[in-house]
Amino acid sequence: MQSGSKFANRFMDQTIEKIIVVLIASLSLIGCRPEYNKENPLAVVDKENGNFRLKVTAYPEQRDFAQVAAGAYYVFEVKTKDDHGWKEIMVFRHDDPIPINEDGIKFVTENVAYVFMGWKYAVTTDGGKSWKVWDSSRNPITKGHVIQNVELQENGEGVMQMEEIVGEQLLILYTRDYGISWST
């Protein structure tokens, strides 16, 4: 009888230990849940071409715990002549707050513009009404690379230069459709 009792006690102890570990891990993750407060921007860059405006706002990451490890969120928005307010294009999160790259906001024509930061790129060909967002982290060829520069021509042809996040390997991508699709 005692061996069964010891087994039951050990089983209960192990179960309680697992529950405690799961609770601590869950509370830690909830406490470190990244968010940003739109009332507390770090920086704003706003550009326009007469037809529509583009804005990038950097917000500090807000955490309940581990604020020292907080990064920043970069919110890309557009406002056309017909819009009453700003519309979100994309959000990029970086582990460290870095300055907004003003060269990452470019107008090609009165209807074509693009933005990029880190591994995200977005383009409009209809004056800011709709956007196509491209995320290099979702592509096996470009995963692990960040966008260094993008150059588009009025005819839709363009080049994207990417660099490995760790390392110095360069990757060059080409487009014929304003960056809606990219190829090596």
Side-chain angles (χ1 to χ4, degrees):
M1 281 304 261
Q2 279 187 335
S3 65
S5 171
K6 286 182 183 178
F7 174 78
N9 285 341
R10 186 174 347 128
F11 178 77
M12 286 300 290
D13 289 344
Q14 289 175 348
T15 302
I16 291 171
E17 288 174 7
K18 288 178 186 176
I19 290 171
I20 291 171
V21 168
V22 168
L23 283 172
I24 290 172
S26 298
L27 289 174
S28 297
L29 289 174
I30 291 169
C32 293
R33 182 182 68 248
E35 296 178 344
Y36 60 94
N37 181 351
K38 284 198 164 200
E39 296 174 13
N40 186 25
L42 292 169
V44 178
V45 173
D46 188 341
K47 291 186 175 185
E48 68 177 296
N49 71 351
N51 197 24
F52 60 102
R53 292 173 58 189
L54 295 173
K55 178 172 75 169
V56 182
T57 308
Y59 297 102
E61 183 177 50
Q62 301 294 309
R63 292 174 172 254
D64 296 332
F65 301 109
Q67 189 61 38
V68 173
Y73 283 87
Y74 300 84
V75 179
F76 291 75
E77 298 173 293
V78 63
K79 186 175 184 181
T80 67
K81 290 179 181 179
D82 299 332
D83 293 333
H84 297 290
W86 291 95
K87 292 180 185 174
E88 188 176 289
I89 300 167
M90 70 178 186
V91 177
F92 174 75
R93 184 194 167 278
H94 198 278
D95 288 341
D96 301 308
I98 57 174
I100 297 169
N101 177 11
E102 291 192 40
D103 291 334
I105 308 165
K106 295 190 180 180
F107 293 95
V108 180
T109 68
E110 67 179 33
N111 288 317
V112 177
Y114 60 96
V115 295
F116 66 89
M117 186 171 199
W119 45 86
K120 288 190 170 184
Y121 165 89
V123 64
T124 183
T125 59
D126 60 5
K129 294 177 187 134
S130 64
W131 289 81
K132 170 71 173 158
V133 178
W134 183 80
D135 185 341
S136 74
S137 69
R138 298 183 184 273
N139 183 318
I141 295 170
T142 58
K143 188 173 184 169
H145 289 76
V146 293
I147 303 167
Q148 295 299 311
N149 193 32
V150 178
E151 292 295 331
L152 291 182
Q153 299 173 20
E154 288 184 25
N155 67 1
E157 293 181 359
V159 177
M160 177 185 287
Q161 298 170 334
M162 301 186 79
E163 187 174 347
E164 276 186 312
I165 293 172
V166 178
E168 296 181 15
Q169 180 185 4
L170 292 176
L171 181 62
I172 306 295
L173 302 177
Y174 301 94
T175 185
R176 293 182 184 267
D177 59 7
Y178 297 102
I180 293 170
S181 60
W182 294 96
S183 60
T184 52

